[in-house]
Amino acid sequence: MSFLSRARGREGDGAARSTLILDRVTQVSPPPDGGGRRGGGQVVTLYPRDDADEVRRGLLTLRRGTGLPVAFGGLVAPGGPPRMTITELAGTSTTALRGLAIHAGAGLGGKALALGLPLRVDDYPVARSISHEYDAPVSAEGLRSVLAVPVVVRREVRAVLYGAVRQRLPLGDRLVAAAVNAGRDLERRLADRDAARTALAALPTVPSRPDPTGPEWEQVRQAHAELRGLLTRIADPELRDRLDAVADRLAGAVHRPGPPSAVALSPRETDVLACVALGCTNADVAGQLGLRPETVKSYLRSAMRKLGAHTRLEVVVAARRAGLLP
């Protein structure tokens, strides 16, 4: 039985839950009186963990998709000459590879890093297509057939994933294609994280008495809509909940007198209204959220019914008055 066919038998296994959190999460803090999401607040910044959790998740995806018993990888250091460090190991029997710095052009991974292309060797110790700076740690782990997949985000290699086996076996095209798919999945998730960081970092400081008609508040509304759109693409539940909380706090950052609104919109209705509030057409909203235009119309009609509105402008105004949109 091939590695690929054995992997298919395990496709039903649940992936380990990632503990991914944004590198830089910006939130609107609640007011000092503890009044919850309806009070005024100011933007504060937290600095949790890095993207390494996503690389670990990528290795799990690679092992499941290819059936290869060993996987390892790491992130490319930002700035300076291209270099990545192997920090994540899965299925290894030693720690020989951990902490290994891979320079562009050196070894299999370094060549993949330099070229931005997936590469493979069926017998690493004697392969003539690569240099052999890392033979000692590879030999210590007992690896023979190895592939390396660069993860390219916006034309920049951000990580390298490896898959390997301890026998000399040909790594076929289908197996390499499965490894490339794992790399593309990691690429999408890193790109979504980047987009979330960009949207959050672009938030202006929200004053204690914000003017919802001022130009800075339009930046808040733009960021809110971007966050709502990202929520539909983020797979990690912890990150999604964190972004959802940020979006909710943005929506309630303006102090609105009177009792809290009893109206509750569904997450999708809120997503649609956030885009409509920026002047998006139904087609624009559909493209942003990955929905059909008819589905967008349905969510919009439902929101109008709940808020007692009859036009797109009325429903946006009503949602803002209710504290459901910034």
Side-chain angles (χ1 to χ4, degrees), residues 153-216:
V153 181
R154 290 186 297 277
R155 300 183 181 182
E156 177 185 0
V157 179
R158 291 277 296 278
V160 178
L161 302 181
Y162 296 80
V165 63
R166 295 183 175 88
Q167 297 84 32
R168 185 187 183 284
L169 293 172
L171 303 178
D173 291 343
R174 293 177 65 188
L175 188 146
V176 173
V180 169
N181 285 338
R184 288 174 177 166
D185 180 66
L186 176 56
E187 173 196 340
R188 286 190 293 270
R189 286 185 276 112
L190 289 177
D192 284 343
R193 281 174 56 91
D194 289 349
R197 279 194 290 263
T198 299
L200 291 167
L203 288 174
T205 299
V206 181
S208 57
R209 295 179 180 274
D211 175 11
T213 64
E216 283 192 348

Side-chain angles (χ1 to χ4, degrees), residues 65-123:
T66 63
L68 292 172
V70 179
F72 49 98
L75 295 163
V76 175
R83 184 189 63 145
M84 61 86 63
T85 302
I86 297 174
T87 57
E88 314 305 323
L89 308 176
T92 53
S93 57
T94 73
T95 58
L97 298 170
R98 188 181 298 279
L100 194 63
I102 307 298
H103 297 272
L108 180 68
K111 189 173 181 179
L113 170 59
L115 298 177
L117 298 172
L119 301 173
R120 58 188 164 184
V121 292
D122 291 337
D123 196 352

Side-chain angles (χ1 to χ4, degrees), residues 22-258:
L22 282 175
D23 288 348
R24 185 169 188 264
V25 177
T26 307
Q27 294 190 27
V28 178
S29 59
D33 62 5
R37 61 179 290 232
R38 303 235 173 258
Q42 67 181 145
V43 171
V44 296
T45 303
L46 308 176
Y47 295 90
R49 290 187 294 274
D50 59 11
D51 291 339
D53 289 328
E54 283 291 14
V55 175
R56 284 191 285 275
R57 184 173 172 182
L59 295 181
L60 292 172
T61 302
L62 186 147
R63 291 182 75 192
R64 254 198 331 270
T66 63
L68 292 172
V70 179
F72 49 98
L75 295 163
V76 175
R83 184 189 63 145
M84 61 86 63
T85 302
I86 297 174
T87 57
E88 314 305 323
L89 308 176
T92 53
S93 57
T94 73
T95 58
L97 298 170
R98 188 181 298 279
L100 194 63
I102 307 298
H103 297 272
L108 180 68
K111 189 173 181 179
L113 170 59
L115 298 177
L117 298 172
L119 301 173
R120 58 188 164 184
V121 292
D122 291 337
D123 196 352
Y124 192 102
V126 298
R128 296 183 178 180
S129 59
I130 61 172
S131 60
H132 289 273
E133 292 88 342
Y134 311 111
D135 281 6
V138 171
S139 176
E141 186 59 43
L143 304 179
R144 296 292 295 275
S145 297
V146 187
L147 61 82
V149 177
V151 179
V152 183
V153 181
R154 290 186 297 277
R155 300 183 181 182
E156 177 185 0
V157 179
R158 291 277 296 278
V160 178
L161 302 181
Y162 296 80
V165 63
R166 295 183 175 88
Q167 297 84 32
R168 185 187 183 284
L169 293 172
L171 303 178
D173 291 343
R174 293 177 65 188
L175 188 146
V176 173
V180 169
N181 285 338
R184 288 174 177 166
D185 180 66
L186 176 56
E187 173 196 340
R188 286 190 293 270
R189 286 185 276 112
L190 289 177
D192 284 343
R193 281 174 56 91
D194 289 349
R197 279 194 290 263
T198 299
L200 291 167
L203 288 174
T205 299
V206 181
S208 57
R209 295 179 180 274
D211 175 11
T213 64
E216 283 192 348
W217 201 249
E218 288 306 314
Q219 296 179 42
V220 174
R221 287 169 175 155
Q222 179 71 39
H224 176 265
E226 290 178 5
L227 289 177
R228 296 302 315 182
L230 283 169
L231 286 172
T232 67
R233 304 199 303 268
I234 300 278
D236 181 82
E238 186 172 349
L239 176 58
R240 190 170 58 244
D241 290 346
R242 194 70 173 270
L243 293 180
D244 195 20
V246 174
D248 281 349
R249 290 191 176 191
L250 286 178
V254 176
H255 177 69
R256 297 172 176 87

Side-chain angles (χ1 to χ4, degrees), residues 289-305:
L289 301 180
L291 301 173
R292 297 171 59 187
E294 294 79 9
T295 306
V296 171
K297 290 180 182 179
S298 176
Y299 284 125
L300 188 56
R301 283 195 297 266
S302 177
M304 286 179 175
R305 183 173 62 254

